PDB file of all heavy atoms in Angstrom:
ATOM      1  N   ILE A 613     -58.422  44.824  64.370  1.00  0.00           N
ATOM      2  CA  ILE A 613     -58.030  44.707  65.777  1.00  0.00           C
ATOM      3  C   ILE A 613     -56.596  44.198  65.877  1.00  0.00           C
ATOM      4  O   ILE A 613     -55.782  44.715  66.649  1.00  0.00           O
ATOM      5  CB  ILE A 613     -58.987  43.764  66.530  1.00  0.00           C
ATOM      6  CG1 ILE A 613     -60.378  44.402  66.668  1.00  0.00           C
ATOM      7  CG2 ILE A 613     -58.430  43.413  67.902  1.00  0.00           C
ATOM      8  CD1 ILE A 613     -61.421  43.484  67.273  1.00  0.00           C
ATOM      9  N   LYS A 614     -56.285  43.210  65.072  1.00  0.00           N
ATOM     10  CA  LYS A 614     -54.948  42.618  65.100  1.00  0.00           C
ATOM     11  C   LYS A 614     -53.874  43.665  64.789  1.00  0.00           C
ATOM     12  O   LYS A 614     -52.803  43.663  65.416  1.00  0.00           O
ATOM     13  CB  LYS A 614     -54.906  41.466  64.091  1.00  0.00           C
ATOM     14  CG  LYS A 614     -53.666  40.627  64.087  1.00  0.00           C
ATOM     15  CD  LYS A 614     -53.943  39.240  63.559  1.00  0.00           C
ATOM     16  CE  LYS A 614     -54.597  39.241  62.193  1.00  0.00           C
ATOM     17  NZ  LYS A 614     -53.687  39.692  61.123  1.00  0.00           N
ATOM     18  N   SER A 615     -54.170  44.563  63.874  1.00  0.00           N
ATOM     19  CA  SER A 615     -53.202  45.587  63.496  1.00  0.00           C
ATOM     20  C   SER A 615     -52.932  46.583  64.618  1.00  0.00           C
ATOM     21  O   SER A 615     -51.906  47.265  64.623  1.00  0.00           O
ATOM     22  CB  SER A 615     -53.696  46.343  62.257  1.00  0.00           C
ATOM     23  OG  SER A 615     -54.807  47.173  62.566  1.00  0.00           O
ATOM     24  N   LEU A 616     -53.860  46.678  65.570  1.00  0.00           N
ATOM     25  CA  LEU A 616     -53.722  47.617  66.682  1.00  0.00           C
ATOM     26  C   LEU A 616     -52.945  47.020  67.860  1.00  0.00           C
ATOM     27  O   LEU A 616     -52.631  47.739  68.810  1.00  0.00           O
ATOM     28  CB  LEU A 616     -55.110  48.055  67.171  1.00  0.00           C
ATOM     29  CG  LEU A 616     -55.983  48.779  66.151  1.00  0.00           C
ATOM     30  CD1 LEU A 616     -57.384  48.998  66.727  1.00  0.00           C
ATOM     31  CD2 LEU A 616     -55.357  50.108  65.735  1.00  0.00           C
ATOM     32  N   LEU A 617     -52.637  45.741  67.804  1.00  0.00           N
ATOM     33  CA  LEU A 617     -51.980  45.056  68.906  1.00  0.00           C
ATOM     34  C   LEU A 617     -50.479  44.948  68.666  1.00  0.00           C
ATOM     35  O   LEU A 617     -50.041  44.540  67.585  1.00  0.00           O
ATOM     36  CB  LEU A 617     -52.575  43.656  69.083  1.00  0.00           C
ATOM     37  CG  LEU A 617     -54.075  43.609  69.389  1.00  0.00           C
ATOM     38  CD1 LEU A 617     -54.576  42.172  69.360  1.00  0.00           C
ATOM     39  CD2 LEU A 617     -54.362  44.232  70.741  1.00  0.00           C
ATOM     40  N   SER A 618     -49.690  45.259  69.677  1.00  0.00           N
ATOM     41  CA  SER A 618     -48.237  45.217  69.528  1.00  0.00           C
ATOM     42  C   SER A 618     -47.735  43.814  69.221  1.00  0.00           C
ATOM     43  O   SER A 618     -46.742  43.647  68.507  1.00  0.00           O
ATOM     44  CB  SER A 618     -47.562  45.747  70.804  1.00  0.00           C
ATOM     45  OG  SER A 618     -47.883  44.940  71.919  1.00  0.00           O
ATOM     46  N   VAL A 619     -48.434  42.785  69.732  1.00  0.00           N
ATOM     47  CA  VAL A 619     -48.004  41.412  69.499  1.00  0.00           C
ATOM     48  C   VAL A 619     -47.966  41.080  68.013  1.00  0.00           C
ATOM     49  O   VAL A 619     -47.166  40.240  67.575  1.00  0.00           O
ATOM     50  CB  VAL A 619     -48.931  40.431  70.256  1.00  0.00           C
ATOM     51  CG1 VAL A 619     -50.346  40.477  69.721  1.00  0.00           C
ATOM     52  CG2 VAL A 619     -48.382  39.010  70.206  1.00  0.00           C
ATOM     53  N   SER A 620     -48.796  41.740  67.222  1.00  0.00           N
ATOM     54  CA  SER A 620     -48.856  41.460  65.786  1.00  0.00           C
ATOM     55  C   SER A 620     -47.619  41.948  65.049  1.00  0.00           C
ATOM     56  O   SER A 620     -47.377  41.542  63.902  1.00  0.00           O
ATOM     57  CB  SER A 620     -50.092  42.111  65.163  1.00  0.00           C
ATOM     58  OG  SER A 620     -51.270  41.621  65.755  1.00  0.00           O
ATOM     59  N   HIS A 621     -46.846  42.806  65.669  1.00  0.00           N
ATOM     60  CA  HIS A 621     -45.695  43.405  65.005  1.00  0.00           C
ATOM     61  C   HIS A 621     -44.370  42.786  65.452  1.00  0.00           C
ATOM     62  O   HIS A 621     -43.298  43.332  65.202  1.00  0.00           O
ATOM     63  CB  HIS A 621     -45.707  44.919  65.253  1.00  0.00           C
ATOM     64  CG  HIS A 621     -46.995  45.562  64.840  1.00  0.00           C
ATOM     65  ND1 HIS A 621     -47.334  45.766  63.514  1.00  0.00           N
ATOM     66  CD2 HIS A 621     -48.059  45.987  65.570  1.00  0.00           C
ATOM     67  CE1 HIS A 621     -48.536  46.323  63.442  1.00  0.00           C
ATOM     68  NE2 HIS A 621     -49.002  46.459  64.665  1.00  0.00           N
ATOM     69  N   HIS A 622     -44.480  41.636  66.101  1.00  0.00           N
ATOM     70  CA  HIS A 622     -43.299  40.861  66.485  1.00  0.00           C
ATOM     71  C   HIS A 622     -43.441  39.455  65.909  1.00  0.00           C
ATOM     72  O   HIS A 622     -44.541  38.919  65.818  1.00  0.00           O
ATOM     73  CB  HIS A 622     -43.185  40.765  68.007  1.00  0.00           C
ATOM     74  CG  HIS A 622     -42.964  42.069  68.687  1.00  0.00           C
ATOM     75  ND1 HIS A 622     -41.708  42.585  68.905  1.00  0.00           N
ATOM     76  CD2 HIS A 622     -43.853  42.976  69.191  1.00  0.00           C
ATOM     77  CE1 HIS A 622     -41.816  43.751  69.524  1.00  0.00           C
ATOM     78  NE2 HIS A 622     -43.104  44.014  69.712  1.00  0.00           N
ATOM     79  N   ARG A 623     -42.343  38.872  65.523  1.00  0.00           N
ATOM     80  CA  ARG A 623     -42.396  37.522  64.970  1.00  0.00           C
ATOM     81  C   ARG A 623     -42.286  36.522  66.115  1.00  0.00           C
ATOM     82  O   ARG A 623     -41.488  36.661  67.033  1.00  0.00           O
ATOM     83  CB  ARG A 623     -41.290  37.305  63.938  1.00  0.00           C
ATOM     84  CG  ARG A 623     -41.424  38.228  62.735  1.00  0.00           C
ATOM     85  CD  ARG A 623     -42.585  37.865  61.792  1.00  0.00           C
ATOM     86  NE  ARG A 623     -43.920  37.879  62.352  1.00  0.00           N
ATOM     87  CZ  ARG A 623     -44.686  38.984  62.460  1.00  0.00           C
ATOM     88  NH1 ARG A 623     -44.236  40.147  62.074  1.00  0.00           N
ATOM     89  NH2 ARG A 623     -45.919  38.892  62.950  1.00  0.00           N
ATOM     90  N   ARG A 624     -43.111  35.506  65.958  1.00  0.00           N
ATOM     91  CA  ARG A 624     -43.279  34.540  67.038  1.00  0.00           C
ATOM     92  C   ARG A 624     -42.969  33.124  66.529  1.00  0.00           C
ATOM     93  O   ARG A 624     -43.144  32.860  65.346  1.00  0.00           O
ATOM     94  CB  ARG A 624     -44.719  34.622  67.554  1.00  0.00           C
ATOM     95  CG  ARG A 624     -45.146  36.061  67.878  1.00  0.00           C
ATOM     96  CD  ARG A 624     -46.553  36.151  68.374  1.00  0.00           C
ATOM     97  NE  ARG A 624     -46.674  35.451  69.662  1.00  0.00           N
ATOM     98  CZ  ARG A 624     -47.846  35.113  70.190  1.00  0.00           C
ATOM     99  NH1 ARG A 624     -48.969  35.359  69.552  1.00  0.00           N
ATOM    100  NH2 ARG A 624     -47.880  34.494  71.354  1.00  0.00           N
ATOM    101  N   PRO A 625     -42.492  32.255  67.425  1.00  0.00           N
ATOM    102  CA  PRO A 625     -42.426  32.365  68.886  1.00  0.00           C
ATOM    103  C   PRO A 625     -41.137  32.979  69.444  1.00  0.00           C
ATOM    104  O   PRO A 625     -40.934  32.940  70.660  1.00  0.00           O
ATOM    105  CB  PRO A 625     -42.551  30.913  69.321  1.00  0.00           C
ATOM    106  CG  PRO A 625     -41.867  30.147  68.242  1.00  0.00           C
ATOM    107  CD  PRO A 625     -42.202  30.878  66.969  1.00  0.00           C
ATOM    108  N   ASP A 626     -40.271  33.545  68.592  1.00  0.00           N
ATOM    109  CA  ASP A 626     -39.017  34.106  69.095  1.00  0.00           C
ATOM    110  C   ASP A 626     -39.271  35.186  70.141  1.00  0.00           C
ATOM    111  O   ASP A 626     -38.587  35.246  71.173  1.00  0.00           O
ATOM    112  CB  ASP A 626     -38.188  34.671  67.939  1.00  0.00           C
ATOM    113  CG  ASP A 626     -37.659  33.599  67.014  1.00  0.00           C
ATOM    114  OD1 ASP A 626     -37.597  32.422  67.453  1.00  0.00           O
ATOM    115  OD2 ASP A 626     -37.312  33.906  65.862  1.00  0.00           O
ATOM    116  N   TRP A 627     -40.246  36.054  69.876  1.00  0.00           N
ATOM    117  CA  TRP A 627     -40.546  37.130  70.819  1.00  0.00           C
ATOM    118  C   TRP A 627     -41.043  36.557  72.145  1.00  0.00           C
ATOM    119  O   TRP A 627     -40.686  37.044  73.219  1.00  0.00           O
ATOM    120  CB  TRP A 627     -41.585  38.085  70.227  1.00  0.00           C
ATOM    121  CG  TRP A 627     -41.731  39.367  70.986  1.00  0.00           C
ATOM    122  CD1 TRP A 627     -40.724  40.195  71.398  1.00  0.00           C
ATOM    123  CD2 TRP A 627     -42.960  39.971  71.423  1.00  0.00           C
ATOM    124  NE1 TRP A 627     -41.252  41.292  72.056  1.00  0.00           N
ATOM    125  CE2 TRP A 627     -42.611  41.185  72.084  1.00  0.00           C
ATOM    126  CE3 TRP A 627     -44.295  39.627  71.303  1.00  0.00           C
ATOM    127  CZ2 TRP A 627     -43.575  42.036  72.644  1.00  0.00           C
ATOM    128  CZ3 TRP A 627     -45.253  40.478  71.846  1.00  0.00           C
ATOM    129  CH2 TRP A 627     -44.894  41.655  72.509  1.00  0.00           C
ATOM    130  N   ASP A 628     -41.858  35.509  72.054  1.00  0.00           N
ATOM    131  CA  ASP A 628     -42.383  34.882  73.268  1.00  0.00           C
ATOM    132  C   ASP A 628     -41.250  34.393  74.164  1.00  0.00           C
ATOM    133  O   ASP A 628     -41.321  34.523  75.396  1.00  0.00           O
ATOM    134  CB  ASP A 628     -43.289  33.705  72.905  1.00  0.00           C
ATOM    135  CG  ASP A 628     -44.521  34.133  72.142  1.00  0.00           C
ATOM    136  OD1 ASP A 628     -44.389  34.374  70.927  1.00  0.00           O
ATOM    137  OD2 ASP A 628     -45.601  34.228  72.741  1.00  0.00           O
ATOM    138  N   ARG A 629     -40.239  33.819  73.565  1.00  0.00           N
ATOM    139  CA  ARG A 629     -39.129  33.288  74.363  1.00  0.00           C
ATOM    140  C   ARG A 629     -38.487  34.396  75.205  1.00  0.00           C
ATOM    141  O   ARG A 629     -38.238  34.213  76.404  1.00  0.00           O
ATOM    142  CB  ARG A 629     -38.086  32.645  73.445  1.00  0.00           C
ATOM    143  CG  ARG A 629     -36.855  32.128  74.173  1.00  0.00           C
ATOM    144  CD  ARG A 629     -35.871  31.490  73.213  1.00  0.00           C
ATOM    145  NE  ARG A 629     -36.399  30.232  72.710  1.00  0.00           N
ATOM    146  CZ  ARG A 629     -36.292  29.075  73.345  1.00  0.00           C
ATOM    147  NH1 ARG A 629     -35.683  29.011  74.527  1.00  0.00           N
ATOM    148  NH2 ARG A 629     -36.778  27.984  72.822  1.00  0.00           N
ATOM    149  N   SER A 630     -38.259  35.544  74.602  1.00  0.00           N
ATOM    150  CA  SER A 630     -37.636  36.645  75.342  1.00  0.00           C
ATOM    151  C   SER A 630     -38.565  37.169  76.430  1.00  0.00           C
ATOM    152  O   SER A 630     -38.112  37.505  77.536  1.00  0.00           O
ATOM    153  CB  SER A 630     -37.245  37.775  74.384  1.00  0.00           C
ATOM    154  OG  SER A 630     -38.392  38.352  73.761  1.00  0.00           O
ATOM    155  N   LEU A 631     -39.857  37.229  76.145  1.00  0.00           N
ATOM    156  CA  LEU A 631     -40.826  37.699  77.140  1.00  0.00           C
ATOM    157  C   LEU A 631     -40.935  36.725  78.309  1.00  0.00           C
ATOM    158  O   LEU A 631     -41.024  37.141  79.473  1.00  0.00           O
ATOM    159  CB  LEU A 631     -42.201  37.880  76.502  1.00  0.00           C
ATOM    160  CG  LEU A 631     -42.337  38.954  75.422  1.00  0.00           C
ATOM    161  CD1 LEU A 631     -43.775  39.005  74.923  1.00  0.00           C
ATOM    162  CD2 LEU A 631     -41.906  40.308  75.943  1.00  0.00           C
ATOM    163  N   LEU A 632     -40.944  35.445  78.014  1.00  0.00           N
ATOM    164  CA  LEU A 632     -41.054  34.435  79.060  1.00  0.00           C
ATOM    165  C   LEU A 632     -39.820  34.445  79.962  1.00  0.00           C
ATOM    166  O   LEU A 632     -39.930  34.311  81.184  1.00  0.00           O
ATOM    167  CB  LEU A 632     -41.255  33.052  78.436  1.00  0.00           C
ATOM    168  CG  LEU A 632     -42.627  32.823  77.804  1.00  0.00           C
ATOM    169  CD1 LEU A 632     -42.596  31.601  76.894  1.00  0.00           C
ATOM    170  CD2 LEU A 632     -43.699  32.656  78.875  1.00  0.00           C
ATOM    171  N   GLN A 633     -38.652  34.601  79.368  1.00  0.00           N
ATOM    172  CA  GLN A 633     -37.429  34.688  80.158  1.00  0.00           C
ATOM    173  C   GLN A 633     -37.473  35.907  81.077  1.00  0.00           C
ATOM    174  O   GLN A 633     -37.120  35.824  82.251  1.00  0.00           O
ATOM    175  CB  GLN A 633     -36.220  34.764  79.233  1.00  0.00           C
ATOM    176  CG  GLN A 633     -35.910  33.458  78.521  1.00  0.00           C
ATOM    177  CD  GLN A 633     -34.802  33.590  77.492  1.00  0.00           C
ATOM    178  OE1 GLN A 633     -34.540  34.691  76.977  1.00  0.00           O
ATOM    179  NE2 GLN A 633     -34.162  32.479  77.161  1.00  0.00           N
ATOM    180  N   ALA A 634     -37.932  37.030  80.545  1.00  0.00           N
ATOM    181  CA  ALA A 634     -38.023  38.252  81.340  1.00  0.00           C
ATOM    182  C   ALA A 634     -39.033  38.108  82.475  1.00  0.00           C
ATOM    183  O   ALA A 634     -38.877  38.715  83.542  1.00  0.00           O
ATOM    184  CB  ALA A 634     -38.407  39.432  80.442  1.00  0.00           C
TER     185      ALA A 634
END
Side-chain angles (χ1 to χ4, degrees):
I613 291 174
K614 187 155 54 70
S615 71
L616 299 173
L617 300 173
S618 62
V619 65
S620 300
H621 305 286
H622 296 271
R623 297 288 60 84
R624 309 180 65 195
D626 292 340
W627 193 49
D628 296 79
R629 177 179 290 276
S630 64
L631 295 181
L632 289 164
Q633 288 174 336

